[in-house]
Amino acid sequence: TGDQRFAEKAIGHMNAWFVDTETMMNPHMLYAQAISGRVTGRGIGLIDAYHLVEVAQSARILSQGNMIPPDQKESIVDWFSSFLTWMTTHEYGIEEMNTRNNHAVCWLATAGVMAKLTGNREVIDFCIDRFKNIVLPDQMGQEGSFPRELDRTKPYGYALFNIDAFANVAQILSTPEVNLWEFATPDGRSIK
């Protein structure tokens, strides 16, 4: 909207989560979906970071509009850069990336938006390549369904969630040169 009041409220939340050392989240998810007495965290817990997609996208928009003070912007970008490094190098992140269902698609959306915010071209290119050559061909059936999601306990909900995540990836990573909305595998599978 260009209304600074809204930007200030969003920046206040971002400062609490990503800048203020008294309240900030650590840039990892080592303890996500822990099971008391069994595991301290799990790779599948990284799907909980999917909610950060909208936050990173908001930070990018506010940054482009010069609405975040430079020192705060640097701290926010640094936090997302650290999280992105963690999710692309830690065993939990790698495990999640290599799943063969909606978790892998959410990983792509999360890594993709954080890479765009932080200017990490290597991860952007990796995500685009992985979308085209691994995730889409592996997960989508010939008729456009998601067979692995349909085999789960709540097939309707999982299939809808997965197409939503696929759409997020296409929206986040598409450019005029690389349009993932129009991309099709050699045998015709596509978001479209």
Side-chain angles (χ1 to χ4, degrees):
T1 66
D3 189 327
Q4 187 64 31
R5 290 177 304 154
F6 302 125
E8 286 171 7
K9 190 66 172 176
I11 293 164
H13 286 287
M14 288 184 199
N15 283 334
W17 281 92
F18 313 119
V19 179
D20 185 340
T21 56
E22 295 293 315
T23 60
M24 68 187 280
M25 175 181 168
N26 289 319
H28 62 71
M29 295 194 79
L30 288 174
Y31 310 107
Q33 295 192 16
I35 301 172
S36 182
R38 293 184 57 206
V39 292
T40 58
R42 302 182 290 169
I44 62 170
L46 191 56
I47 198 167
D48 294 337
Y50 186 56
H51 298 289
L52 293 174
V53 168
E54 293 176 12
V55 178
Q57 191 74 320
S58 298
R60 205 167 68 77
I61 291 166
L62 290 168
S63 293
Q64 290 170 343
N66 295 316
M67 299 186 100
I68 302 177
D71 60 325
Q72 291 170 318
K73 176 183 171 183
E74 183 180 346
S75 295
I76 292 166
V77 168
D78 286 349
W79 187 94
F80 279 99
S81 181
S82 294
F83 191 97
L84 181 61
T85 297
W86 179 82
M87 72 178 285
T88 57
T89 59
H90 189 274
E91 66 179 287
Y92 289 173
I94 294 167
E95 178 183 311
E96 187 74 342
M97 177 189 73
N98 288 320
T99 58
R100 300 182 73 199
N101 61 21
N102 64 66
H103 284 253
V105 186
C106 290
W107 186 97
L108 280 178
T110 305
V113 75
M114 290 183 185
K116 281 186 78 172
L117 172 64
T118 62
N120 189 324
R121 187 76 237 171
E122 182 181 346
V123 173
I124 292 169
D125 292 342
F126 175 82
C127 289
I128 291 169
D129 181 70
R130 190 162 184 83
F131 175 90
K132 290 177 168 183
N133 297 306
I134 296 172
V135 176
L136 180 65
D138 182 56
Q139 290 196 29
M140 185 176 281
Q142 208 46 56
E143 78 295 345
S145 72
F146 298 110
R148 286 188 193 89
E149 304 304 338
L150 295 176
D151 285 342
R152 295 178 76 182
T153 56
K154 299 181 221 167
Y156 181 73
Y158 280 120
L160 286 177
F161 182 70
N162 206 32
I163 193 62
D164 182 67
F166 265 101
N168 268 334
V169 173
Q171 186 65 32
I172 290 164
L173 294 175
S174 288
T175 65
E177 300 80 33
V178 179
N179 187 341
L180 297 180
W181 293 103
E182 297 293 328
F183 171 79
T185 61
D187 60 1
R189 288 176 280 174
S190 71
I191 295 298
K192 195 174 184 178

